[in-house]
Structures are given as structure tokens and as C-alpha cells.
Amino acid sequence: MMYVINDSCISCGACEAECPVNAISAGDSIYVINTDCIDCGACANVCPVDAPQPE
């Protein structure tokens, strides 16, 4: 399982900085998580709007 970022993302970038495997990047309108995600939850722990959620 991996994390995905839902539409509540405010594009603050907090999650990208916390990802230990650099699996998060800016998308067209929100940040996105690629398949390199290791399901660690670091992104979810820092997101102010709880946008990263387990898939």
C-alpha cells in the first residue's frame, strides 16, 4: 500500500520536504506521490490539511 494525496491539498510543500525517498513532487494543481512511496506516513504527519492518505 502507498499514500495518495487527495484534493484537499493546498500545495504548501511540507510533505515533499519530509519524504525520505523523494516520492512526492508538485503536480499541476496539487502535490502527487509516485510509486516509490514506502508507506512510512511521514508526509501525513506534517500535512496541515491531512491530504496524504493511505490508498
Side-chain angles (χ1 to χ4, degrees):
M1 189 182 308
M2 62 181 263
Y3 277 73
V4 294
I5 297 178
N6 64 36
D7 291 341
S8 64
C9 176
I10 58 172
S11 295
C12 69
C15 60
E16 183 179 26
E18 287 299 311
C19 183
V21 294
N22 298 316
I24 303 174
S25 60
D28 290 337
S29 59
I30 63 173
Y31 275 74
V32 294
I33 301 175
N34 68 38
T35 56
D36 292 338
C37 177
I38 59 171
D39 194 32
C40 69
C43 57
N45 291 335
V46 298
C47 181
V49 295
D50 297 322
Q53 297 291 315
E55 188 173 50

